């Protein structure tokens, strides 16, 4: 008779990486919420009104985007927690790897655009552009952290139940 045991717990570095992903999304979300709230972030009132629809529908869009981004950034916590599993481990591992691949492709796409397309900005000063860059820079770490988490998760769940001193017969 075999008893099923839980897989090995997530290593400390994986737990920290999952929390770091949520923290990486926070500065850009706060920057967007500041923009939606009318706090000066480097755009003139005309640009906010004509380009972003603020005040108006743009407020809901920008705040909604911030909330969705943070919720998505909290999802990797499912890979290090055993409290709630919306999917079977193998399915969740597959979703994690697909997500990692998409995030890496999006990051590469953003780099190609940043270095090949002449950037058109509506920012009014170099200081505003620097603050914007500092707020969005942590997002670059997310694809790497997610890939490491996906590897850790699939490794822990592929090896089967955690039996520290089990001998195969």
């Amino acid at each position: 008779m075999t008893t099923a045991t839980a897989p090995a717990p997530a290593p400390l570095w994986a737990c920290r990486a999952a929390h770091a992903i949520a923290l990486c999304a926070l500065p850009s979300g706060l920057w967007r919420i500041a923009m939606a709230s009318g706090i000066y972030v480097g755009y003139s009132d005309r640009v906010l009104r004509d380009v972003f629809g603020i005040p108006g529908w743009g407020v809901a869009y920008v705040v909604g985007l911030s909330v969705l981004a943070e919720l998505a950034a909290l999802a990797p916590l499912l890979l290090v927690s055993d409290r709630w599993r919306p999917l079977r481990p193998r399915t969740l591992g597959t979703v994690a790897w697909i997500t990692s691949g998409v995030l890496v492709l999006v990051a590469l796409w953003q780099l190609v655009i940043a270095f090949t397309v002449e950037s058109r900005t509506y920012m009014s000063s170099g200081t505003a552009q620097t603050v914007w860059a500092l707020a969005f820079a942590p997002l670059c770490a997310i694809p790497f952290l997610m890939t490491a988490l996906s590897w850790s998760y699939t490794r822990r769940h592929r090896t089967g139940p955690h039996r520290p001193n089990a001998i195969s017969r």
Side-chain angles (χ1 to χ4, degrees):
M1 180 173 180
T2 310
T3 59
T5 58
L12 182 60
W13 69 264
C15 293
R16 288 182 177 167
H19 286 87
I21 289 174
L23 291 175
C24 285
L26 193 59
S28 60
L30 292 174
W31 185 89
R32 284 190 210 100
I33 289 173
M35 182 174 84
S37 300
I39 296 171
Y40 180 73
V41 294
Y43 294 123
S44 69
D45 290 339
R46 182 178 160 269
V47 169
L48 286 174
R49 185 180 56 255
D50 296 345
V51 176
F52 297 105
I54 296 173
W57 68 270
V59 172
Y61 171 74
V62 170
V63 171
L65 181 61
S66 295
V67 170
L68 284 175
E70 194 58 41
L71 287 174
L74 290 171
L77 291 171
L78 293 173
L79 299 175
V80 296
S81 172
D82 292 326
R83 292 184 187 167
W84 180 68
R85 297 265 182 224
L87 302 169
R88 294 186 320 219
R90 173 170 265 165
T91 305
L92 189 58
T94 302
V95 169
W97 276 112
I98 290 170
T99 302
S100 296
V102 168
L103 287 170
V104 167
L105 290 175
V106 167
L108 291 173
W109 173 63
Q110 291 297 316
L111 285 173
V112 167
I113 288 174
F115 290 115
T116 60
V117 178
E118 184 179 335
S119 177
R120 186 179 103 178
T121 182
Y122 297 106
M123 293 263 175
S124 60
S125 71
T127 303
Q129 289 176 334
T130 302
V131 171
W132 175 87
L134 290 173
F136 282 82
L139 295 176
C140 296
I142 291 176
F144 303 106
L145 293 169
M146 187 64 193
T147 301
L149 275 175
S150 299
W151 173 80
S152 173
Y153 181 83
T154 54
R155 184 171 167 248
R156 284 184 291 119
H157 287 273
R158 179 183 51 215
T159 58
H162 178 60
R163 293 184 212 136
N165 297 321
I167 299 174
S168 301
R169 295 180 191 216

